[in-house]
Amino acid sequence: MIRELKTFIAIAEEGTFVRAGQRIGLTQAAVSAQMQRLEEQLGHALFAREGRTARLNAQGLAALAQAREVVRLFDDMAAQSRSKPLNGRLSLGAIASAQSRVLPQVLMRFRTQHPGVHVRVVPGVSFQLLNQVDAGELDAAIMIRPVFGLQADLAWTPLTQEPFWLLVPAALPEAGDWRAVLAAQPFIRYDRTSFGGRLVERFLRDARLSVQDCVEIDELDAIAQMVACGMGVSLVPQSFGKAPWPDGVRAVSLGEHTFFREIGLVTRARSSPDPALLELLQLIGQAYAG
């Protein structure tokens, strides 16, 4: 209702639905729909429509002063709520790359703005974090999007997409065909029980590639170091904010066959989110947006 009242006031001040929409960022159709709802809720017309102008009728003129007072009271209430210091405790799950490359700066800013809120960061793999959010043990989690659909009571907010590369030892002679490299060299596999590892498994299956597994592990930095040591090759994502690959490693593009893992926030869908949680999630989104 507040939104409709603000649109009503804009129309009264601008004189037309079009100019009111331009002022508040709505199309003429959206403005018209809001006024139709408002008139239906009030039980009477507010405008004497004449051509493109929107002249208030007698009831509209009487309602205008009341609408302005209601909006003023609402804005005062919102300002008082925003001015109150936030307190409480939050539990945030995070995969390893988010903990090291995003959260330090985010939590520093959040702590500066809201010193009364205690944040507990819970490490874990994506599948585990998803279950913890679903069970109510975590307020939110930064994780890899699963290959299956989320439960109806969970919400997903995308943050970034990370491309997969073929990592090879720098000493390995360059080859033009990445398929041949994968087929011929020992393969260090991104753990198949992880969401990222499932993406690798799906890619290999769709490409009909057979690899020579030598190690399977769910730690990207360790995989890169194993490649640098010459143990084998691997398919890994370039994590958001990641420094250059370690010495001894060469990253080979998959070209048009490049696939991605999506990093995002999973939360429980609720009608009244915690204000502190909303603030924290907003800072996380800004960090990934750059």
Side-chain angles (χ1 to χ4, degrees):
M1 176 67 77
I2 294 297
R3 181 176 56 181
E4 282 80 2
L5 291 178
K6 288 183 176 181
T7 302
F8 170 57
I9 294 169
I11 295 170
E13 293 175 350
E14 297 294 335
T16 71
F17 282 27
V18 173
R19 288 204 298 268
Q22 292 171 345
R23 172 172 142 184
I24 60 180
L26 293 176
T27 64
Q28 181 179 355
V31 171
S32 299
Q34 284 192 14
M35 290 307 93
Q36 182 178 357
R37 288 196 299 270
L38 183 59
E39 289 177 331
E40 288 175 354
Q41 291 172 353
L42 294 177
H44 57 74
L46 297 170
F47 302 95
R49 293 175 174 81
E50 300 173 354
R52 295 185 177 181
T53 62
R55 183 172 60 84
L56 296 179
N57 60 21
Q59 291 173 309
L61 289 170
L64 180 60
Q66 294 175 312
R68 284 175 169 150
E69 180 63 12
V70 170
V71 170
R72 184 191 66 79
L73 290 172
F74 177 83
D75 288 342
D76 287 347
M77 291 171 60
Q80 291 174 10
S81 176
R82 287 193 296 268
S83 66
K84 293 180 180 178
L86 297 178
N87 295 283
R89 302 176 70 87
L90 296 175
S91 294
L92 175 70
I95 56 176
S97 60
Q99 292 178 61
S100 60
R101 301 184 181 110
V102 177
L103 285 185
Q105 290 297 321
V106 166
L107 294 178
M108 182 182 70
R109 291 180 59 192
F110 185 77
R111 176 68 179 171
T112 300
Q113 297 173 16
H114 307 292
V117 180
H118 176 272
V119 181
R120 174 173 173 253
V121 178
V122 178
V125 297
S126 295
F127 185 74
Q128 172 189 2
L129 297 176
L130 178 65
N131 288 336
Q132 287 177 288
V133 173
D134 187 38
E137 299 169 5
L138 294 175
D139 295 301
I142 307 172
M143 54 173 277
I144 305 167
R145 183 165 192 164
V147 294
F148 50 82
L150 293 177
Q151 298 91 318
D153 57 345
L154 295 179
W156 177 261
T157 302
L159 294 171
T160 191
Q161 286 193 322
E162 300 177 341
F164 277 77
W165 293 74
L166 171 61
L167 289 194
V168 303
L172 188 72
E174 292 194 24
D177 187 358
W178 53 264
R179 291 174 178 267
V181 173
L182 279 169
Q185 298 297 319
F187 187 64
I188 305 167
R189 184 182 286 274
Y190 189 177
D191 186 2
R192 275 172 285 204
T193 64
S194 69
F195 291 158
R198 294 185 193 184
L199 292 172
V200 170
E201 178 68 12
R202 176 183 291 180
F203 170 78
L204 293 173
R205 184 177 64 249
D206 292 346
R208 297 182 179 179
L209 286 171
S210 178
V211 294
Q212 305 172 39
D213 287 344
C214 64
V215 176
E216 186 165 348
I217 184 172
D218 185 26
E219 174 49 57
L220 298 179
D221 289 338
I223 291 176
Q225 291 298 333
M226 290 177 186
V227 174
C229 290
M231 185 180 297
V233 302
S234 187
L235 290 167
V236 297
Q238 186 171 25
S239 298
F240 177 86
K242 181 178 177 60
W245 302 106
D247 293 339
V249 166
R250 187 171 75 251
V252 178
S253 172
L254 299 175
E256 63 181 8
H257 299 282
T258 299
F259 61 109
F260 301 81
R261 72 173 187 176
E262 183 177 302
I263 305 298
L265 284 162
V266 64
T267 56
R268 293 191 304 280
R270 53 183 125 186
S271 57
S272 300
D274 183 284
L277 179 61
L278 288 178
E279 291 277 348
L280 178 58
L281 299 186
Q282 183 178 23
L283 288 176
I284 292 171
Q286 290 172 355
Y288 275 97

